[in-house]
Amino acid sequence: MKIAVTPRAANLTYAIRDIVVAAKKYEKERGQIPLYLNIGDPIAYDWHTPDFMVEALSKAAKDGINGYTPSEGLEDLRKAVAEKEKKIGGITVDSARVLATNGVSEAIQFLAGALVSEGSEFLLPGPSYPPYIAYTEFFGGKPVTYRTIEEENWVPDLDDLRKKVNKKTTGIVVINPNNPTGAVYDQKTLNQIASIAGEYGLPLISDETYDRLTFEKKHTPMAKAAGDVPVIGFNGISKVYLAPGWRVGYVYFHDQKGELEPIRDAMLRQARVRICANSAAQVAAAVALRSDGSHLKEVVRRMKERRDLIWKRLNSIESISSSKPDAAFYILPKVDLKGRWKNDTEFVLDVLNMAGVVFVPGSGFCATYGASHFRSVFLPPPEMITEAMDRLERFMTKR
Ligand SMILES: Cc1ncc(COP(=O)(O)O)c(C=O)c1O
């Protein structure tokens, strides 16, 4: 007899890690390790957490910061968040209204817990970082994706966004810079999104996880562009500060008249239930946020080189084309399935089994706007990217 579980849990998916199940089967059956280009973890490749952060983490543990912290996070970390947002983003954040989380992932969970209920709709970019879709469904809501326009480097289609707002909508999420497309939105686009949110009295959620990993364009925080429209900002240390395993993220609530207080309270209540974020890592995160960011110059230079390499190679492969990501370390090429594959999942599985390269199906990021695409990271060293592209090229030209 099998024990019954809830459909909401049984149906949970996370395309980025779900593909690993097929990859592990491949490893077991073939006795070979495929090239993993699926996970956005720099530490899995040749990137390192800056030394000063590692030292700060071990010092914190040695100094005895090993107990619980307040549920909203250490006061000093919350102050460091406000200082960083002022210095880098040019926005004023009240440190008393910052919430530290176990990564931005937990912030997404708390957000959905606060805003999504049975029958509500949540507006997300299409394609979108998958947990926004998964948690919306988990809490009984309907994720509604607004189109982003591939031909224009994946900028939001504002008419589509506006069309999809209705009485059931409880929030608008913007992911800028975007995962999986690498798009960076300009201030005008952000103004226009904010004005739609303002018109309908909806909270704007701005995920800024990759704010300092930009190439040609510069990131503008939503709170800077939104005027008096309330913004809930998400950020953390996983990507920009190369410490994804430390699990530290944060949320800031930016409004004029305290309109976001009920949401802050609802997220804080959930935070109390889970006690706190990692204590020693919070201390080290404060050190990271107060640093001069000098590690980023080299990180961005090397990342850009890898972006250029993969973009060029992908566009020279038959039936594959891609726009150029402006930020982060993801690329979302389109593949002409030509009746050779039923959909992008079948394509990605075929690439794994025939070429030994692991990508993520685009439909895992949005069934509508991610279909017929696949996502690759460009974190690996150039030799590994080259090898993966050689394999993909051979695979695509074989009939
Ligand atoms: C847009 C976006 N938000 C949030 C996260 C989660 O990051 P964290 O490690 O802070 O939970 C990711 C991770 O890939 C992401 O791409």
Side-chain angles (χ1 to χ4, degrees):
M1 190 195 77
K2 293 240 172 78
I3 308 292
V5 296
T6 59
R8 68 165 179 256
N11 295 333
L12 265 181
T13 58
Y14 184 52
I16 301 166
R17 286 181 182 254
D18 291 348
I19 189 70
V20 175
V21 178
K24 290 292 164 201
K25 185 165 172 267
Y26 171 98
E27 280 187 22
K28 206 167 158 209
E29 286 173 5
R30 318 264 178 118
Q32 284 168 4
I33 297 175
L35 299 176
Y36 283 93
L37 270 72
N38 60 314
I39 291 204
D41 177 358
I43 308 303
Y45 305 95
D46 59 343
W47 304 88
H48 305 283
T49 313
D51 287 343
F52 74 90
M53 287 173 60
V54 175
E55 278 152 26
L57 179 69
S58 64
K59 181 172 182 307
K62 281 186 192 141
D63 286 351
I65 315 294
N66 300 303
Y68 294 136
T69 73
S71 295
E72 58 271 38
L74 289 170
E75 195 182 334
D76 190 55
L77 169 61
R78 299 160 77 212
K79 282 188 177 151
V81 166
E83 288 165 30
K84 182 254 162 179
E85 290 303 331
K86 183 84 200 168
K87 192 168 143 202
I88 307 302
I91 55 173
T92 303
V93 166
D94 177 0
S95 66
R97 299 177 74 215
V98 168
L99 170 63
T101 54
N102 287 291
V104 173
S105 308
E106 190 180 59
I108 300 171
Q109 182 192 334
F110 291 170
L111 174 82
L115 284 180
V116 175
S117 55
E118 210 59 55
S120 61
E121 293 187 6
F122 217 46
L123 272 172
L124 310 171
S128 183
Y129 178 55
Y132 286 99
I133 297 172
Y135 278 124
T136 302
E137 287 173 344
F138 189 81
F139 286 102
K142 182 173 161 201
V144 176
T145 48
Y146 55 88
R147 176 179 177 236
T148 59
I149 309 166
E150 181 170 16
E151 298 71 25
E152 295 172 28
N153 269 7
W154 300 100
V155 294
D157 178 338
L158 298 164
D159 293 333
D160 192 58
L161 171 57
R162 178 182 288 280
K163 245 183 6 221
K164 285 174 176 166
V165 176
N166 64 38
K167 285 202 178 74
K168 297 181 207 150
T169 311
T170 55
I172 301 177
V173 173
V174 172
I175 304 175
N176 175 40
N178 185 275
N179 174 8
T181 63
V184 177
Y185 309 153
D186 61 24
Q187 181 139 359
K188 189 167 164 228
T189 304
L190 298 176
N191 290 147
Q192 288 167 323
I193 297 173
S195 85
I196 296 174
E199 200 179 312
Y200 293 96
L202 292 168
L204 256 180
I205 298 89
S206 182
D207 183 327
E208 305 179 341
T209 297
Y210 301 92
D211 60 347
R212 302 182 74 187
L213 290 179
T214 59
F215 307 123
E216 286 81 12
K217 295 185 181 171
K218 202 173 161 337
H219 170 260
T220 306
M222 180 57 98
K224 199 170 181 176
D228 58 6
V229 175
V231 174
I232 305 170
F234 285 0
N235 213 327
I237 61 160
S238 291
K239 317 288 175 164
V240 169
Y241 299 92
L242 302 154
W246 292 9
R247 312 306 304 125
V248 179
Y250 61 85
V251 183
Y252 60 84
F253 297 86
H254 189 273
D255 57 18
Q256 310 269 323
K257 303 182 207 107
E259 297 99 318
L260 295 171
E261 273 309 280
I263 303 178
R264 188 177 77 87
D265 181 59
M267 292 179 72
L268 183 53
R269 284 172 189 275
Q270 295 173 79
R272 288 190 197 117
V273 177
R274 66 69 162 115
I275 303 184
C276 67
N278 183 317
S279 57
Q282 286 188 55
V283 174
V287 172
L289 294 175
R290 288 198 175 106
S291 70
D292 61 8
S294 53
H295 72 284
L296 280 169
K297 204 168 161 212
E298 191 55 11
V299 168
V300 170
R301 187 191 65 75
R302 288 167 67 208
M303 212 79 97
K304 186 166 174 271
E305 245 171 48
R306 295 173 191 198
R307 186 270 319 253
D308 291 345
L309 171 66
I310 200 164
W311 176 74
K312 202 161 157 229
R313 285 298 308 269
L314 283 165
N315 279 305
S316 69
I317 297 176
E318 194 184 310
S319 305
I320 290 178
S321 60
S322 178
S323 65
K324 202 177 204 175
D326 287 313
F329 31 68
Y330 309 101
I331 189 161
L332 190 76
K334 181 153 77 185
V335 55
D336 181 353
L337 300 169
K338 283 184 170 159
R340 195 172 155 191
W341 302 277
K342 228 174 34 227
N343 52 42
D344 49 276
T345 302
E346 197 178 285
F347 167 77
V348 164
L349 288 171
D350 206 21
V351 174
L352 165 65
N353 290 316
M354 304 306 289
V357 184
V358 187
F359 297 123
V360 185
S363 53
F365 299 88
C366 174
T368 310
Y369 303 114
S372 299
H373 290 74
F374 63 96
R375 192 196 75 171
S376 178
V377 297
F378 49 83
L379 287 165
E383 315 78 66
M384 184 172 160
I385 293 178
T386 300
E387 172 63 20
M389 292 302 107
D390 288 348
R391 290 189 193 185
L392 182 64
E393 187 161 43
R394 281 197 297 273
F395 169 79
M396 291 303 288
T397 45
K398 213 163 58 191
R399 279 161 212 284

